[in-house]
Amino acid sequence: MKYFYWVSGICLAAVLIFFFFIPAFAGNISIPQQITFGRFAIRLYGITMAASVLVGYLVARHYAWRFGISQESVDDVAFWITIVAFLGARVYYVAVDFGLYRNNLSEIYKIWHGGLSIYGAIISGLIFAYFYARTKAFAAFRLLDLLAVALPLAQGLGRFGNFFNQEAFGLPTDLPWKMYVDAAHRPAAYIQASFFHPTFLYEALCSVIIFFILVRIMRMKVLPGVLVFTYLGLYSLSRFFIEGIRLDSSYIHGIKVDQVTAVAGVLAAGVALLMIWRSARARA
């Protein structure tokens, strides 16, 4: 049965790539933001976010046994951590770009218009998971390591919400994998440009690579904490470079906020992994 799901997923992905994504990247078809049923509309951004949560949940359930955590425990924490992560993602985004909302407060809760920060979700989700685990029978870093394995694929899929909203793209480019952006979504400074770096896709691909790296490390039975800090370091490193060419970054005093956060993430991960290594040597 599991192979049926894999084959079905690959076939569906192939159909979407060849009949939708490639024509959309080339500008041959328009990118829809919603599906309309009479007077009702379903935004594809929201569907993508829901699908990413489901993928993360299924991955966590699949690997839970490796961390001494039951699938029932994953079920218990999944609901609350999803809420906390979404709130954290929105709070981070609004706090950094509050100037956009100061005179239009009603936009703050409209997450279907976009505006979720993955760093806000990561920070709030991991903090919540740490304190949640301390109330349970399993060690905190076991749960954090499990979440680290579950996050990348969810992030990779979630990034396609940016595709439907035509956001999170980078500088203009003529590379073969360039993405067409409608004039309505182009920054004023680049209104004459038509094709841009699909930075959301770069991050999605990096997330998939990080997932396979973490799975490989997980099978080596490393010490608790190694997976979550490896995830934090690898993601922050990739995000630092991707953020360098994005056009929708938030600035404080001329510095990109998420690049600063990325540097902090790399440093924190490096220090934590060094401490774990030293602790392991001391016990050897």
Side-chain angles (χ1 to χ4, degrees):
M1 182 61 71
K2 66 178 181 179
Y3 295 109
F4 170 77
Y5 290 129
W6 276 106
V7 172
S8 298
I10 292 172
C11 291
L12 176 60
V15 171
L16 289 174
I17 289 171
F18 286 104
F19 293 98
F20 180 68
F21 289 114
I22 290 178
F25 268 55
N28 296 329
I29 62 174
S30 60
I31 301 174
Q33 291 191 351
Q34 61 186 29
I35 300 174
T36 304
F37 299 96
R39 301 174 63 180
F40 298 95
I42 301 176
R43 294 188 68 88
L44 294 178
Y45 182 90
I47 293 177
T48 306
M49 292 299 104
S52 69
V53 171
L54 177 61
V55 166
Y57 166 71
L58 293 176
V59 172
R61 281 188 114 249
H62 179 74
Y63 288 116
W65 66 273
R66 287 184 174 272
F67 300 89
I69 299 173
S70 67
Q71 292 185 336
E72 290 73 19
S73 295
V74 173
D75 296 342
D76 290 340
V77 72
F79 173 77
W80 295 109
I81 203 168
T82 299
I83 292 177
V84 170
F86 268 96
L87 288 175
R90 187 59 173 175
V91 168
Y92 182 102
Y93 183 89
V94 172
V96 170
D97 283 320
F98 190 68
L100 299 175
Y101 300 93
R102 183 180 293 110
N103 298 320
N104 194 7
L105 297 179
S106 64
E107 282 290 319
I108 291 178
Y109 70 89
K110 297 178 181 178
I111 61 173
W112 54 88
H113 288 174
L116 295 174
S117 169
I118 187 59
Y119 268 125
I122 293 171
I123 294 170
S124 60
L126 293 181
I127 290 175
F128 173 81
Y130 176 81
F131 286 103
Y132 177 90
R134 296 190 62 169
T135 68
K136 302 298 178 179
F138 41 82
F141 278 108
R142 287 298 184 185
L143 179 58
L144 293 176
D145 283 345
L146 174 59
L147 291 177
V149 176
L151 274 172
L153 287 185
Q155 285 178 239
L157 177 58
R159 274 299 171 194
F160 282 88
N162 301 134
F163 169 75
F164 293 118
N165 276 1
Q166 291 199 58
E167 59 188 7
F169 53 84
L171 292 166
T173 183
D174 288 323
L175 290 170
W177 53 84
K178 59 184 180 288
M179 186 183 87
Y180 179 81
V181 176
D182 295 336
H185 295 91
R186 299 171 196 165
Y190 298 99
I191 193 65
Q192 299 302 320
S194 298
F195 294 93
F196 298 79
H197 278 283
T199 49
F200 77 88
L201 180 60
Y202 299 165
E203 187 168 330
L205 293 175
C206 285
S207 295
V208 172
I209 293 172
I210 291 171
F211 168 75
F212 285 109
I213 291 174
L214 293 177
V215 169
R216 177 68 175 176
I217 296 174
M218 176 186 67
R219 290 172 177 164
M220 297 168 61
K221 298 181 180 179
V222 293
L223 292 173
V226 168
L227 288 171
V228 67
F229 289 117
T230 300
Y231 158 76
L232 179 62
L234 291 176
Y235 173 71
S236 296
L237 183 64
S238 63
R239 180 60 182 269
F240 176 84
F241 291 104
I242 293 172
E243 194 70 23
I245 61 173
R246 275 181 61 165
L247 294 178
D248 62 342
S249 303
S250 301
Y251 291 82
I252 293 181
H253 301 300
I255 301 174
K256 290 190 174 185
V257 175
D258 281 341
Q259 280 194 312
V260 174
T261 305
V263 170
V266 171
L267 292 176
V271 171
L273 289 172
L274 179 61
M275 292 175 63
I276 293 172
W277 177 73
R278 286 182 174 177
S279 176
R281 287 195 62 186
R283 291 197 299 267

